Amino acid sequence: MRRKLIAGNWKMNFTSEEEVTNFMVNLVPGMLADVLVCPPSIWLYMLKNSNCFIGAQDVSPHALGAHTGDIAASQLKAMGCKYVIVGHSERRTDHNETDELVKQKAQAVIDAGMIAIICVGETLAQRELGITEEVVTTQVFRSVPENATPANTVIAYEPVWAIGTGKNATPDDAQAMHKIVRAQIAKQLSQGTADSMRILYGGSMKPANAAGLLAMPDIDGGLIGGASLLVDDFNSIIDMVQ
Ligand code: PEP
């Protein structure tokens, strides 16, 4: 039985301690899902003793040392992080992150004793070309470390055309892709690993569509951007986990 994970990715939002406090005092994690908030790193210290898991949105592939602007996995761990998102499509696009770099980052997270949330997903152009399956399975093959287990890795299937656009994959389309991702994990790791590894859906998940997506057998939670900035919306998605 895979426990659902509802993960909020605040991206580069919230400019004051008041906004962060207001969100956190109103967050109601509930009992049925793991709840995770990934704020910009500058706010991690405020979430250290909160009633949910906390995570980072990126990590350096390097250990400590001369890497200006980077944050090491060990530093995120020291700040209380349990999870780190790697390979988000915005980083793949804005910072030219390759699957190879994403894999190194995931490995750094695993080595530090945290859980890597490895993001994969096709663009609209790739979907229209009919190469979604090939693109996503190749990303999984190249980005997921060989020592990934259900205890140290979560996959997030995030069709790029659905992120921040208000367009979401239908529950049936998302389920079909999650099944393909799970089969790929079985092929490259093992069937047991695939059966227990959590695969999140991300892409305009919101209160109006979350119940249908979360009801699908291979959808083990959500990676939520826009709707994770509004605490009432985030709480209602958490509430939908049965
Ligand atoms: C995301 O940030 O991973 C995401 C899915 O964003 P949104 O929910 O806004 O589409």
Side-chain angles (χ1 to χ4, degrees):
M1 178 69 181
R2 298 181 298 265
R3 185 170 162 84
K4 286 207 169 32
L5 172 62
I6 302 297
N9 173 13
W10 287 0
K11 310 192 186 190
M12 198 170 65
N13 290 291
F14 291 166
T15 48
S16 70
E17 291 183 343
E18 287 70 26
E19 284 176 286
V20 176
T21 303
N22 183 50
F23 185 100
M24 294 310 293
V25 297
N26 289 299
L27 176 66
V28 186
M31 305 291 285
L32 297 179
D34 289 343
V35 173
L36 167 67
V37 174
C38 300
S41 299
I42 58 159
W43 300 128
L44 279 170
Y45 77 95
M46 288 189 66
L47 274 62
K48 211 171 172 190
N49 297 312
S50 54
N51 54 359
C52 64
F53 292 118
I54 67 172
Q57 300 173 15
D58 183 39
V59 67
S60 174
H62 305 293
L64 298 170
H67 301 286
T68 303
D70 277 12
I71 303 179
S74 57
Q75 294 174 311
L76 295 174
K77 179 100 190 286
M79 196 47 77
C81 287
K82 170 108 174 158
Y83 293 83
V84 182
I85 301 169
V86 295
H88 190 283
S89 65
E90 286 153 13
R91 292 209 60 87
R92 288 177 185 264
T93 304
D94 295 353
H95 300 274
N96 299 316
E97 292 198 3
T98 61
D99 290 328
E100 290 68 30
L101 178 60
V102 172
K103 185 177 180 180
Q104 286 172 29
K105 290 184 172 195
Q107 191 64 63
V109 173
I110 292 170
D111 290 348
M114 297 180 290
I115 303 171
I117 301 180
I118 303 175
C119 302
V120 295
E122 81 286 1
T123 62
L124 183 58
Q126 290 164 334
R127 174 158 280 250
E128 285 172 352
L129 280 171
I131 56 170
T132 297
E133 180 170 343
E134 185 189 329
V135 166
V136 171
T137 54
T138 303
Q139 286 177 328
V140 171
F141 180 70
R142 293 190 180 149
S143 310
V144 176
E146 288 75 19
N147 63 345
T149 69
N152 64 26
T153 301
V154 171
I155 309 291
Y157 168 62
E158 300 206 295
V160 179
W161 49 269
I163 297 179
T165 59
K167 295 181 199 147
N168 61 286
T170 65
D172 286 339
D173 282 349
Q175 164 60 25
M177 281 310 300
H178 281 231
K179 221 173 152 186
I180 287 166
V181 170
R182 203 176 295 289
Q184 177 59 32
I185 293 292
K187 195 167 149 192
Q188 72 190 64
L189 297 174
S190 74
Q191 188 61 54
T193 300
D195 289 343
S196 303
M197 190 170 278
R198 292 183 288 185
I199 305 176
L200 312 183
Y201 169 79
S204 298
M205 187 183 270
K206 45 187 181 277
N209 60 29
L213 289 159
L214 293 171
M216 291 290 132
D218 285 291
I219 299 184
D220 305 314
L223 181 53
I224 302 155
S228 78
L229 297 175
L230 306 166
V231 69
D232 290 344
D233 283 2
F234 196 54
N235 282 337
S236 21
I237 296 173
I238 294 166
D239 258 358
M240 283 171 197
V241 174
Q242 310 269 335

